[in-house]
Amino acid sequence: MKPISRHMARVAGVTVGATLLLSAGLASAASFEVGEKVFVPMFEPNPELDGYAEGFVEQVHDDGTLTLRINKVQTGKGKTLSGTCHPSGGTALSGAEIVSDDPDDLVVEQRLLTDEVMTYRRGSQLYLKRENLSIAYLKYLGSGMGMTPDRFDVAIRRAEEVGLPRMVAAMEIGKMQVESTQGRGFPVPASRALQKAAPMLDDVAAKLEGYPESVETAARMLGGTTPEHRDDPLAAVIVRLHEILDKQLGELAQQSDDPREVSGFSVDQLLAIYTGWFRVITVNDTQPFQNADVDYYRERAAKALNDGEWPALK
């Protein structure tokens, strides 16, 4: 943990950042005492981007606010798989008053509503739970190695406990994909991994009917109209699912340039996989992908397969 940077402490005239506002309502307002150590959550829909500040209560005001002396801050910028990150400016400390101008140990003062502050014990425990969830999420977005169904169950439970419905859905979809490969989180040949892909994709499409905005975000990223990002964890998992399927189908294509000659898969079985993906990216044909519906993509894929060519997955 590092002290607040000079740059951060000098940010002034800006309202409290959106990340702090997201934390409001996470806990009912507690009673605080002067001198008590407190935790200021700066949480995001994707816990990978979470941040927080630590400090002490300097004054308790009658209007429901607290004056805090903050001496440590952690933001979500630069977070890695191991959960580390580095300090940067903004959010909860915007407009804060500089108390100590020591560049190695700056201390700032800030006034916040009590429902934007948590007891140190509860806040730090909640942050750690979200941090552990983000590690599982990042692991799946990476190699996915060792993300067994049991580990997904733990991640799903944590996401439910901290109230992140999109992360719950993201981890449920990750579990569906891993279980469909029959490898329990470890690499298996594409010829095996894709055997149950079609019904898995149908289940994913049904799951996503409750999250059309996340699918739209993923579609924009896949279509190249929006840079890839992880602000929406569910959208990022949809993009990851596409990457996995594309790689697996590519492995089958290496076995034979002609999809009609691939061992273990008929043209109809391959078409079911492609159609399943098109259902995912159109939310079961309820919103178009690049101005086209499932029938368009299915017919295009069927023609390519019957002509002995591998279709594009998007």
Side-chain angles (χ1 to χ4, degrees), residues 16-286:
V16 174
T19 49
L20 176 61
L21 296 178
L22 284 168
S23 70
L26 285 175
S28 57
S31 297
F32 296 97
E33 298 179 355
V34 172
E36 181 178 353
K37 187 175 184 179
V38 293
F39 184 97
V40 181
M42 296 183 288
F43 293 161
E44 295 279 3
N46 179 356
E48 174 197 359
L49 306 176
D50 281 354
Y52 67 88
E54 295 177 12
F56 295 87
V57 177
E58 194 166 70
Q59 295 182 60
V60 179
H61 303 282
D62 293 336
D63 62 357
T65 61
L66 303 170
T67 296
L68 306 180
R69 182 167 290 212
I70 297 171
N71 52 20
K72 290 183 181 179
V73 67
Q74 196 84 324
T75 70
K77 302 295 184 182
K79 183 166 290 189
T80 67
L81 182 61
S82 63
T84 60
C85 55
H86 64 81
S88 63
T91 65
L93 302 185
S94 297
E97 178 185 351
I98 300 173
V99 176
S100 169
D101 202 28
D102 181 347
D104 296 321
D105 188 23
L106 284 173
V107 177
V108 299
E109 195 173 85
Q110 181 67 301
R111 187 165 175 170
L112 298 172
L113 294 171
T114 54
D115 61 6
E116 295 173 336
V117 181
M118 303 176 75
T119 63
Y120 180 77
R121 180 177 180 181
R122 181 175 184 185
S124 59
Q125 288 177 342
L126 180 58
Y127 178 84
L128 181 60
K129 185 176 292 188
R130 292 171 62 100
E131 180 81 350
N132 288 333
L133 172 59
S134 75
I135 291 172
Y137 164 74
L138 288 172
K139 190 173 185 65
Y140 179 67
L141 290 187
S143 68
M145 180 74 74
M147 278 300 293
T148 64
D150 289 345
R151 290 187 177 182
F152 275 108
D153 286 338
V154 172
I156 291 166
R157 185 175 67 251
R158 284 176 174 155
E160 290 172 340
E161 289 172 351
V162 300
L164 293 174
R166 291 192 189 189
M167 184 61 83
V168 171
M171 293 294 91
E172 288 174 340
I173 288 171
K175 181 182 177 182
M176 291 177 190
Q177 184 273 318
V178 166
E179 287 184 327
S180 74
T181 68
Q182 308 170 76
R184 293 193 58 79
F186 295 93
V188 295
S191 57
R192 179 181 177 187
L194 288 171
Q195 286 177 1
K196 298 183 178 181
M200 176 271 292
L201 291 168
D202 287 342
D203 290 342
V204 170
K207 170 71 66 177
L208 290 172
E209 288 181 7
Y211 303 93
E213 65 285 350
S214 293
V215 180
E216 183 178 356
T217 299
R220 289 199 301 268
M221 289 192 281
L222 290 170
T225 59
T226 297
E228 289 194 16
H229 61 79
R230 296 197 295 265
D231 294 348
D232 182 337
L234 181 52
V237 164
I238 296 168
V239 172
R240 176 59 179 154
L241 177 60
H242 175 270
E243 293 172 351
I244 292 170
L245 290 170
D246 200 39
K247 180 180 178 181
Q248 291 170 340
L249 289 167
E251 290 179 19
L252 289 187
Q254 290 178 357
Q255 297 178 20
S256 173
D257 292 336
D258 189 335
R260 297 171 298 184
E261 298 176 358
V262 172
S263 176
F265 292 89
S266 67
V267 166
D268 286 344
Q269 288 172 321
L270 291 173
L271 181 59
I273 295 172
Y274 282 94
T275 302
W277 167 252
F278 300 140
R279 290 190 182 282
V280 167
I281 203 59
T282 61
V283 198
N284 258 340
D285 216 12
T286 60

